């Protein structure tokens, strides 16, 4: 990477030429999207998590977005008891909480028994916070099993415990921008921070276009989508623009329950280690999708580092 900032600004300029235009659709149907947020009560330490949560929750209220599942890792609350305010604010705003395992374990790296125990260990906290809530599970790293056998074992365990699985179809990789964004804001590099926000927004729009187009290819019709965000610093600083962009592109917000009525989520692609749900659907049919847009990762490594 030569001059990271010049490169980033070029990338951003390529990705966001003016106000986003609606995604063309002969039927004029809106793109239906449910919103979910991972890594409650703490995703990063860029600023106090209750502040980040308040910013996100206020934006969801302004845009009338309902039933935004927040997926919880209990260990983070054990490490930072002051973050309990995040979970209480989430519920007070009328949004439910889901299980993201106790310690955000990676099924590719820890034994199956430990992974399953991590699901169960998170349950007392969740049932204490929302005694009558439905049980919903989000896989950390969106990894469902390195082998089909592991995948089936986790699914069997989740079924025994009564969980619905919260798959993801729109994944803007906000988490990848966050460390760089926090570095830039920490040293008051406002231009670089603004460029990173613009880059994430550009990627989020491109990911929506990709998911909308590729779902039609592999399912044969439009589907109800699930968007993944995180309780991150850059999320707080882009949420208003991201939601507005999506609405201009033709998104209609739906609840998680509405998304789950799409029959596509009743099926199990039953494939090993394919991550995000649309990739699983492609893999199950032996088809390779065109690559989705990705963050400028080389640049994110170097920007706002001491030179
Ligand atoms: Zn996570």
């Amino acid at each position: 990477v030569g001059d990271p900032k010049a490169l980033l600004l070029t990338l951003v300029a390529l990705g966001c030429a003016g106000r986003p235009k609606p995604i063309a659709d002969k039927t004029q149907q809106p793109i239906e999207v449910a919103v979910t947020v991972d890594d409650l009560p703490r995703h990063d330490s860029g600023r106090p998590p209750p502040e980040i949560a308040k910013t996100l929750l206020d934006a969801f209220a302004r845009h009338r977005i309902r039933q935004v599942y927040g997926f919880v890792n209990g260990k983070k609350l054990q490490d930072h008891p002051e973050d309990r305010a995040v979970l209480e604010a989430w519920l007070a705003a009328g949004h439910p909480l889901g299980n993201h395992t106790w310690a955000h374990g990676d099924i590719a790296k820890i034994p199956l028994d430990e992974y399953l125990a991590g699901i169960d260990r998170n349950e007392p906290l969740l049932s204490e916070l929302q005694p009558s809530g439905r049980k919903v599970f989000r896989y950390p790293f969106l990894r469902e099993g390195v082998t089909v056998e592991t995948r089936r074992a986790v699914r069997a365990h989740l079924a025994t415990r009564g969980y619905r699985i919260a798959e993801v179809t729109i994944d803007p990789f906000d988490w990848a921008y966050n460390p760089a964004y926090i570095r830039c804001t920490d040293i008051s590099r406002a231009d670089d921070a603004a460029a990173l926000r613009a880059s994430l927004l550009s990627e989020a729009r491109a990911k929506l276009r990709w998911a909308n187009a590729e779902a039609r290819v592999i399912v044969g019709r439009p589907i109800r989508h699930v968007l993944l965000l995180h309780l991150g610093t850059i999320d707080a600083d882009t949420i208003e623009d991201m939601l507005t962009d999506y609405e201009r592109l033709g998104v209609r917000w739906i609840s998680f329950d509405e998304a789950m009525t799409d029959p596509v989520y009743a099926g199990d692609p039953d494939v090993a280690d394919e991550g995000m749900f649309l990739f699983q659907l492609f893999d199950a049919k032996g088809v390779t999708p065109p690559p989705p847009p990705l963050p400028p990762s080389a640049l994110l490594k170097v920007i706002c580092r001491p030179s």
Side-chain angles (χ1 to χ4, degrees):
V1 179
D3 177 354
K5 189 169 164 186
L7 180 54
L8 181 59
L9 290 171
T10 307
L11 286 169
V12 168
L14 286 171
C16 56
R19 182 184 164 117
K21 295 187 179 60
I23 295 172
D25 179 2
K26 285 193 288 277
T27 62
Q28 299 297 311
Q29 293 295 313
I31 306 167
E32 296 178 308
V33 179
V35 182
T36 61
V37 180
D38 279 13
D39 301 358
L40 272 61
R42 176 176 289 245
H43 175 67
D44 65 58
S45 301
R47 76 183 57 144
E51 276 180 36
I52 296 175
K54 181 174 189 326
T55 305
L56 296 181
L57 291 168
D58 287 352
F60 298 149
R62 277 194 302 278
H63 290 261
R64 300 180 191 284
I65 305 178
R66 293 161 296 125
Q67 203 191 26
V68 178
Y69 267 91
F71 291 95
V72 175
N73 305 114
K75 183 172 188 306
K76 291 173 186 161
L77 182 63
Q78 189 179 64
D79 296 343
H80 293 275
E82 70 277 18
D83 291 347
R84 193 178 181 88
V86 169
L87 306 178
E88 288 168 351
W90 210 264
L91 293 170
H95 299 289
L97 300 172
N99 192 337
H100 197 36
T101 76
W102 174 254
H104 211 278
D106 184 345
I107 185 104
K109 294 182 180 158
I110 65 174
L112 176 63
D113 287 356
E114 186 182 332
Y115 189 86
L116 300 182
I119 296 170
D120 296 347
R121 192 173 174 191
N122 223 19
E123 290 205 329
L125 170 66
L126 288 166
S127 52
E128 176 216 322
L129 286 163
Q130 51 176 23
S132 59
R134 284 203 64 180
K135 291 162 84 173
V136 178
F137 183 73
R138 163 70 45 75
Y139 291 89
F141 308 102
L142 306 187
R143 290 198 187 116
E144 303 193 17
V146 176
T147 63
V148 175
E149 290 70 30
T150 318
R151 174 194 178 93
R152 289 176 186 164
V154 176
R155 287 205 165 219
H157 186 84
L158 291 170
T160 305
R161 298 286 188 270
Y163 281 95
R164 284 188 295 175
I165 293 168
E167 298 286 5
V168 171
T169 62
I170 308 171
D171 182 8
F173 283 24
D174 48 335
W175 53 269
Y177 290 83
N178 234 344
Y181 187 70
I182 292 167
R183 285 199 306 275
C184 293
T185 51
D186 279 353
I187 58 172
S188 302
R189 293 259 288 263
D191 288 355
D192 290 337
L196 289 173
R197 289 197 302 274
S199 182
L200 170 58
L201 288 165
S202 169
E203 187 188 327
R205 293 191 297 270
K207 284 270 170 64
L208 173 67
R209 293 178 192 279
W210 185 91
N212 178 55
E214 297 311 319
R216 288 162 189 253
V217 168
I218 199 62
V219 184
R221 60 172 174 83
I223 65 167
R224 294 183 155 175
H225 288 276
V226 180
L227 168 68
L228 166 60
L229 299 174
H230 292 79
L231 197 89
T233 302
I234 198 168
D235 298 86
D237 289 356
T238 52
I239 190 68
E240 179 59 33
D241 288 342
M242 195 183 293
L243 298 177
T244 302
D245 277 0
Y246 270 36
E247 287 162 1
R248 285 174 180 161
L249 287 166
V251 163
R252 182 175 80 86
W253 305 114
I254 57 173
S255 67
F256 179 78
D257 283 348
E258 285 176 297
M260 287 300 107
T261 63
D262 192 313
V264 75
Y265 300 110
D268 175 3
D270 199 31
V271 292
D273 201 26
E274 277 299 328
M276 198 265 283
F277 192 60
L278 291 176
F279 293 140
Q280 297 179 33
L281 295 176
F282 273 98
D283 193 44
K285 292 193 178 174
V287 179
T288 304
L294 291 172
S297 54
L299 186 127
L300 292 176
K301 278 191 194 122
V302 298
I303 193 167
C304 293
R305 294 238 188 246
S307 48

